[in-house]
Amino acid sequence: MQFEGEHLLIGKTGHLFVLIAFTTSLLSTIAYFIAGRKSDPAEKLSWVRFARISFLAQVAAVLVVFSSIFYICSHHYIEYLYAYKHTSKELEFKYLFASIWEDQSGSFLLWSIWHCIIGIFLIRKSKEWEAPVMSVISLAQLFLAMMIMGVYIFGTKIGNSPFVLTRDEINGPIFAMPNYLSMIKDGVGLNVLLRNYWMVIHPPVLFLGFASTIVPFAYAYAGIQSKRYGDWVKPALPWGLFCACVLGVGIMMGGKWAYESLSFGGYWAWDPVENASLVPWLILVAGLHTMVIYKATGHSLRASYLFAILTFVFILYSTFLTRTGVLGDTSVHAFAESGRPMFNLIRIFLAAFTIPALVLFFINLKKIPAIHKEETTNSREFWMFIGSLVFFLSAMFIIAKTSTPVFNAIFNTKLAPPENIEFSYNKVIVLVAIIVGILSAITQYFKYKSTQPGFILKKLAFPTLVAAIITILLAIFYPITYYKEGLGFLGAVYVALFASIYAVVANAGYIWSGLNGKLTSAGASIAHFGFGLMITGMLISSGNKKVISEEKFKDFVIQMGVDPLTKQQDNPAENINLVRHVPKKMGPYDVTYLNDSTGTETGRRFYHLAFERKDEDTKETKESFTLSPDVYLMKDNNMSSNPDTKNYLTHDVFTYISYALNPEANKDTASFKITEVAEGDTIFYSKGFMVLDKVVRNPPANKFNIPVTGPAVMAEFTVTAQDSSRYNASPMILVDSFGINQIDDTVYAQNLYVKFAGVSADQKKLKIGVKESDKMIDFVTLKAYIFPYINLVWIGLITMAIGLVMSMIKRAGVTKTTGAVILIAAAAGLFYMFLLAN
C-alpha cells in the first residue's frame, strides 16, 4: 500500500548512518585495541591511523544521525513515532532540542556526540596514551550505537531505533488507511514539565559530565594495560577536574530546573534520579583527592585506580537505574519501562565495563606501587584521604538506599522506603556535611608528610574564632527554625552550619596567608570556599524556608495531592484559597488573584497574582509585583503546576498553583434575568441585594481601562451580601466604530454577573441583567514559600566550579592566555545561566 505524504528518505538515511556508526565504532575499537599491544612503532602507527579514520567516520555518522532526527522533529514529520511522541506544532523552537533528548534514543545520541568531541580532542592531545585510551571510548561508542540500532539479530532486537514509523508501532484502524496523516492533526508534544529553559541546557551539560568520566577510567585502564602504573595520573587529573566541574554544574542545573518547574518547594528532593547522578560525582571527588595525594607523596595510587573505575561504573549503573524502568514507581522523572531488549542491552553495557575493569584491577593490585609506611595524622595527605573515604562512604549510603527496587527485584523482597524519605537521607548527610566542612577548613593548613602541631594551632585559631562568632550571631539574630525533626537534629544542623562557615572562612584565610594572595595557585581553596558557601546556603535556605500561604480557617477545603518532596499528603492548611478579585493576607503581602490567561500550548493557563506589601504604620504601598505561576490542565482533571518566583538578593518568594478549576469542566449554564431600575432602586438576588447608585454618561475613566471614543453610559451599583460585605459593580454600554458594545461586570466573590442590557421604552429606566452563575466560584489554591539566602547556593556552586576550572588549567599546563580565556568564558557562562538568565 502506498501511504500519502510520508517522508521516508530522511528516516532511511538516518537509520543507515546508525549502522555505519556501529560498524565504524567496531572497527575503531578493534584497531585501537591491537595498536595498544603492538611494540613495533611503525606497525603501531599503521593501526592507529586506521583507527583514527574509523573513529572520525563514526563521528560523521553520528552527526548525520542527529541531524536527521532534528530535521524530522523540526518539520513535524509525525509519520515517525519519535516526532509524534515528542513534538507538536505549538512547541516553541527552542524546545525542539529538549524534545530530542526527552526520548531515550536522543539522550543516548547526545552522550555519543560528547564522546565524539572528547575523542577528537584526545586524538590530538593524548600522544602515547591514545591507543589504549581511545579503545575504551570507541567501545563505549559501540554500545551507544547499539542502543539506537533497532535491528534484529538471530531473532533478538538490538536497541530502539529513533526512525521507526508511527503506523508500525501503534495499532489502530486509522494507520491502515493510505491518507492517515491527514487525519492526525498534531503530535503529542513535549512533556509539560520539560518545557523550561533549563531542560534545553541541563541535559547537554549533564551528559557532558557523564561522558567525560570515561576519560579517567580509560587512563586508569591504560596505566594497567601498559604497565605504567603511576604515569596515568598526570594526564587523567585535569580531566577529572573537568568532570567534577561539569558534572557538578549539570546536577545543580537539574536542581534549578526542579526549583523553577516542579512543585518540590525546593531544588533537591532525594529523588532516585537525582541520587543516581550525585553518586558518581561524590566518588569522582574522592578520586581527585587521592590523585592529588599520589602526585604529592606517592600514597593512595591504588585508591585512585579504584575511584576512577567506580566513577564510570556508577555512571553506567545510574543509566541502568534510570532507563530500564526499575525506578518507575519511585522517581518523578525516571524513564518508564523500556522493554526487555533495552533492559538486557544496558545490563550488558554495564557488565562489559565493570567486570573486566575490576578484574584487571584486582589481578594487578599487588603490582600497583604502594608506600607501605602509614601516613602520620599530622600530614595533609592523611586528612585528605579521610575526606575521600567520607565522600566514598556517603556515595555508598546513597546508592544503597536508591537501589532498594533493585534489591527487591533480585532477592524477591518487599523492602519499602521509609515514611519520611527526606529525613532518612538528611540525618546521615548532615553528619557528612559536618566532617567534610571541618576537613575542608583545616586540611590545607597541614603540610604534606609532617606538620608541627604549634603551626596548625596558630594558623587555625583565627578562622576558628571567626567561624564560631558568625555561627553564634546567626543563632541569636537569625536562628534556624527547622524544628520538625526535633532538637537533636536541629543541633546537628547548627554544627553543620558552623562547619560550612568554617570552610568558607578558613579557605579565604588560606588564600590570604598560606598562598600570599596568589590566586593562580588558589584553585583548590576557591573550590573549597565555594563548596562551603553552597552548603551554608543549603542549610539556611532549607532550615529557614517558611510557608507563607498558611490558612487555618478556610471557607472551603480542597483535597491536596502528595507532596513530591516528602512523599506525604500535602497539608491543606499550608495552601491558601484565593477568590478572584478578593485580596487576602499572606505573610507580609496582600495577594489578589487578578485573572488568568491561556498560553500558546494547549491546556496551559497562567494565573496572575498581584502582591502588595504595605507599611504597617502609614499603610502606604512599599512594594508591588505580579507573579504568574501556570498549570497544564488535562482532560482527566489532572494538572501539572509550574512555579513562578520573585527573586531578591536575600530571598526568593516561591509560588505555585496547587489547585485550579478546569474551564472545560466548569461551564456556566445560568442565564441573565432582566430587571428595569432607576437610580436608587434595588435588585435582589439569592445572596443579597444591589442598589443602582447613579448613572454616569461618557465616564472619563472606567475599571476596565477601555478607551471611550464614542457615546457611553456606565451604571454604578453597590452590592451588599448577606454577611454585610460590600462590592462595587459598574457595567457599561458604549458605541464605537464596531457598533454597540455591552461591557459586563463581575462580582467574583458572589459569583454574580451584571449586564447593562439597554434602556426601557420610555427612556426612564435601565435594563439590567443579573446572572447568578451555577458554576463554581472562580478561585485558585496557592502554596507559597519564602526561601531565604538561596542565592548563596548558586553563588557557592559558581565559585566551586570556577575553582575547579582554575585547578584544571594549572594541572593541564596550558598557556596563561589560553587559561585566562577558558576561565573568563566559564565564569561568564555560569553567572549568566544561574543568576541572570530566565
Side-chain angles (χ1 to χ4, degrees):
M1 182 184 296
Q2 186 70 30
F3 292 93
E4 299 173 6
E6 291 186 334
H7 306 81
L8 300 182
L9 180 60
I10 185 68
K12 291 179 179 179
T13 301
H15 191 247
L16 172 64
F17 276 89
V18 170
L19 299 178
I20 292 173
F22 169 77
T23 304
T24 50
S25 296
L26 178 61
L27 294 174
S28 177
T29 302
I30 294 171
Y32 271 126
F33 183 80
I34 294 173
R37 279 157 175 72
K38 294 293 181 182
S39 56
D40 180 72
E43 194 175 0
K44 181 173 185 174
L45 181 60
S46 175
W47 279 106
V48 166
R49 285 174 176 170
F50 178 75
R52 287 175 180 172
I53 293 170
S54 299
F55 186 83
L56 294 176
Q58 177 262 151
V59 170
V62 168
L63 293 178
V64 171
V65 173
F66 180 81
S67 300
S68 300
I69 293 176
F70 183 80
Y71 188 86
I72 288 170
C73 290
S74 62
H75 287 75
H76 304 291
Y77 288 165
I78 57 176
E79 58 266 37
Y80 293 97
L81 185 64
Y82 204 106
Y84 176 73
K85 287 173 61 177
H86 304 295
T87 69
S88 57
K89 295 175 183 176
E90 68 184 10
L91 198 64
E92 295 181 54
F93 180 79
K94 64 181 178 181
Y95 294 138
L96 281 174
F97 289 101
S99 70
I100 291 175
W101 38 74
E102 178 190 26
D103 188 87
Q104 290 214 44
S105 299
S107 58
F108 281 127
L109 187 59
L110 179 61
W111 191 346
S112 182
I113 289 172
W114 284 127
H115 274 175
C116 290
I117 295 171
I118 291 169
I120 291 172
F121 190 88
L122 287 170
I123 287 172
R124 290 176 57 86
K125 298 292 184 180
S126 58
K127 299 178 182 177
E128 72 272 16
W129 295 100
E130 179 184 346
V133 168
M134 285 301 298
S135 65
V136 174
I137 292 175
S138 296
L139 180 61
Q141 288 294 80
L142 178 70
F143 276 99
L144 292 173
M146 291 170 68
M147 299 295 174
I148 59 174
M149 279 177 61
V151 299
Y152 285 87
I153 299 178
F154 302 115
T156 301
K157 187 179 180 183
I158 308 296
N160 294 323
S161 172
F163 300 106
V164 295
L165 298 174
T166 307
R167 57 180 165 84
D168 292 336
E169 298 297 316
I170 299 179
N171 294 322
I174 186 176
F175 296 110
M177 302 179 183
N179 62 336
Y180 77 94
L181 284 176
S182 63
M183 303 179 188
I184 303 175
K185 301 302 181 183
D186 203 358
V188 175
L190 180 67
N191 185 316
V192 295
L193 293 176
L194 305 183
R195 299 183 188 188
N196 178 275
Y197 158 81
W198 288 102
M199 290 314 294
V200 178
I201 61 173
H202 159 57
V205 174
L206 185 67
F207 273 92
L208 175 57
F210 285 170
S212 59
T213 59
I214 199 175
V215 181
F217 175 94
Y219 272 110
Y221 160 76
I224 293 176
Q225 188 268 330
S226 64
K227 309 301 182 185
R228 298 167 62 186
Y229 292 108
D231 295 347
W232 67 276
V233 173
K234 182 177 179 180
L237 186 52
W239 279 102
L241 292 162
F242 174 80
C243 300
C245 174
V246 176
L247 184 56
V249 169
I251 291 168
M252 289 308 294
M253 278 183 172
K256 200 76 160 73
W257 164 68
Y259 182 64
E260 293 188 359
S261 291
L262 300 178
S263 53
F264 277 176
Y267 41 82
W268 196 262
W270 295 113
D271 181 89
V273 172
E274 297 172 336
N275 297 348
S277 60
L278 176 63
V279 165
W281 185 83
L282 292 171
I283 299 173
L284 174 62
V285 171
L288 285 176
H289 287 83
T290 57
M291 288 184 200
V292 172
I293 292 172
Y294 173 73
K295 288 287 293 176
T297 67
H299 285 285
S300 299
L301 179 58
R302 293 174 178 177
S304 299
Y305 266 105
L306 184 62
F307 291 150
I309 291 169
L310 290 181
T311 296
F312 186 64
V313 164
F314 276 100
I315 288 289
L316 298 180
Y317 182 65
S318 71
T319 301
F320 170 77
L321 287 179
T322 58
R323 295 171 182 276
T324 58
V326 172
L327 299 180
D329 295 330
T330 59
S331 173
V332 297
H333 54 323
F335 284 94
E337 176 63 50
S338 57
R340 199 69 191 178
M342 184 64 78
F343 179 88
N344 290 330
L345 186 56
I346 293 175
R347 285 202 305 179
I348 295 170
F349 188 13
L350 172 61
F353 281 83
T354 303
I355 296 173
L358 291 177
V359 168
L360 277 175
F361 170 70
F362 286 110
I363 287 175
N364 290 273
L365 184 61
K366 292 183 178 180
K367 299 177 183 178
I368 298 172
I371 298 175
H372 296 289
K373 180 183 176 182
E374 295 293 333
E375 302 98 324
T376 59
T377 56
N378 63 343
S379 65
R380 180 185 292 188
E381 61 268 27
F382 176 83
W383 295 109
M384 287 178 67
F385 187 74
I386 294 298
S388 296
L389 281 181
V390 171
F391 269 104
F392 177 69
L393 293 174
S394 64
M396 294 301 98
F397 163 75
I398 293 169
I399 202 64
K401 288 182 66 65
T402 305
S403 299
T404 299
V406 179
F407 298 151
N408 287 340
I410 294 175
F411 300 108
N412 197 28
T413 57
K414 295 182 180 179
L415 298 174
E419 184 176 347
N420 188 340
I421 294 177
E422 177 190 7
F423 183 62
S424 71
Y425 284 97
N426 287 345
K427 65 185 180 182
V428 174
I429 298 304
V430 71
L431 301 178
V432 174
I434 293 169
I435 298 170
V436 170
I438 293 174
L439 291 177
S440 298
I442 68 172
T443 300
Q444 290 191 88
Y445 286 90
F446 283 88
K447 297 181 183 298
Y448 285 112
K449 298 186 178 179
S450 181
T451 312
Q452 292 298 322
F455 175 83
I456 288 294
L457 293 175
K458 180 181 177 182
K459 290 291 185 180
L460 288 176
F462 182 71
T464 304
L465 179 63
V466 171
I469 290 172
I470 293 173
T471 306
I472 291 169
L473 290 175
L474 283 174
I476 295 171
F477 297 105
Y478 190 67
I480 301 296
T481 57
Y482 194 84
Y483 300 116
K484 69 176 184 178
E485 303 300 346
L487 293 178
F489 185 72
L490 181 61
V493 170
Y494 269 112
V495 177
L497 182 62
F498 163 76
S500 61
I501 294 172
Y502 192 21
V504 172
V505 174
N507 279 281
Y510 185 77
I511 295 171
W512 178 260
S513 63
L515 299 173
N516 297 317
K518 295 179 181 178
L519 290 179
T520 54
S521 302
S525 296
I526 291 173
H528 292 145
F529 176 95
F531 183 77
L533 191 63
M534 183 172 68
I535 300 301
T536 301
M538 289 178 174
L539 291 168
I540 294 175
S541 63
S542 299
N544 280 351
K545 179 179 72 172
K546 182 180 180 182
V547 177
I548 60 172
S549 53
E550 290 182 321
E551 187 180 24
K552 296 181 180 178
F553 304 102
K554 294 177 179 287
D555 298 325
F556 50 94
V557 176
I558 300 297
Q559 185 66 33
M560 297 293 104
V562 175
D563 188 325
L565 180 63
T566 63
K567 313 300 181 186
Q568 297 175 337
Q569 191 79 21
D570 202 1
N571 185 358
E574 293 183 351
N575 295 261
I576 191 169
N577 298 323
L578 298 175
V579 176
R580 191 165 177 173
H581 290 177
V582 180
K584 268 194 177 181
K585 189 72 175 175
M586 192 173 76
Y589 301 101
D590 291 312
V591 183
T592 305
Y593 164 36
L594 299 176
N595 52 45
D596 63 342
S597 60
T598 57
T600 56
E601 299 99 328
T602 303
R604 189 176 191 182
R605 299 188 79 86
F606 291 84
Y607 295 85
H608 307 291
L609 312 172
F611 284 71
E612 189 175 49
R613 184 165 60 88
K614 296 181 178 180
D615 186 279
E616 294 184 2
D617 298 323
T618 64
K619 302 303 179 184
E620 293 181 358
T621 300
K622 296 178 64 176
E623 177 192 17
S624 63
F625 58 89
T626 300
L627 292 179
S628 300
D630 67 276
V631 300
Y632 284 88
L633 297 168
M634 317 299 184
K635 292 181 180 179
D636 56 1
N637 289 329
N638 287 326
M639 56 175 273
S640 170
S641 183
N642 295 315
D644 196 13
T645 305
K646 175 68 174 176
N647 304 112
Y648 296 89
L649 181 62
T650 58
H651 67 278
D652 282 0
V653 178
F654 176 96
T655 65
Y656 70 90
I657 302 297
S658 49
Y659 182 83
L661 295 170
N662 191 328
E664 296 300 317
N666 192 37
K667 293 183 178 179
D668 189 7
T669 59
S671 58
F672 283 96
K673 179 181 179 181
I674 306 298
T675 304
E676 293 185 0
V677 292
E679 287 187 0
D681 287 350
T682 299
I683 301 174
F684 290 91
Y685 67 102
S686 65
K687 298 178 183 177
F689 61 90
M690 53 194 296
V691 177
L692 176 58
D693 298 322
K694 62 179 177 178
V695 180
V696 182
R697 292 173 175 80
N698 299 320
N702 58 80
K703 65 186 291 185
F704 310 104
N705 295 319
I706 298 174
V708 178
T709 58
V713 180
M714 180 172 68
E716 294 189 352
F717 286 89
T718 297
V719 181
T720 304
Q722 290 175 342
D723 62 359
S724 299
S725 299
R726 292 195 172 192
Y727 310 92
N728 295 317
S730 305
M732 293 177 60
I733 191 167
L734 58 86
V735 180
D736 58 19
S737 58
F738 296 100
I740 299 175
N741 295 296
Q742 295 172 330
I743 311 299
D744 301 344
D745 200 359
T746 308
V747 182
Y748 287 101
Q750 297 287 292
N751 238 15
L752 190 68
Y753 295 77
V754 186
K755 176 192 290 289
F756 196 144
V759 296
S760 62
D762 59 6
Q763 304 290 311
K764 293 182 179 180
K765 291 186 176 183
L766 305 184
K767 290 183 178 180
I768 300 298
V770 176
K771 180 175 70 172
E772 295 185 70
S773 177
D774 59 0
K775 69 178 183 180
M776 284 190 69
I777 191 170
D778 192 6
F779 77 99
V780 294
T781 304
L782 180 76
K783 190 163 188 176
Y785 299 93
I786 288 181
F787 273 97
Y789 298 100
I790 194 171
N791 280 334
L792 290 178
V793 176
W794 315 126
I795 294 171
L797 170 69
I798 294 168
T799 306
M800 181 182 71
I802 289 172
L804 289 168
V805 171
M806 291 174 65
S807 296
M808 179 195 72
I809 291 169
K810 184 180 179 182
R811 296 283 180 178
V814 300
T815 64
K816 289 184 178 181
T817 302
T818 303
V821 170
I822 293 172
L823 184 60
I824 291 170
L830 288 165
F831 271 102
Y832 176 78
M833 285 189 296
F834 280 92
L835 297 178
L836 301 178
N838 202 31

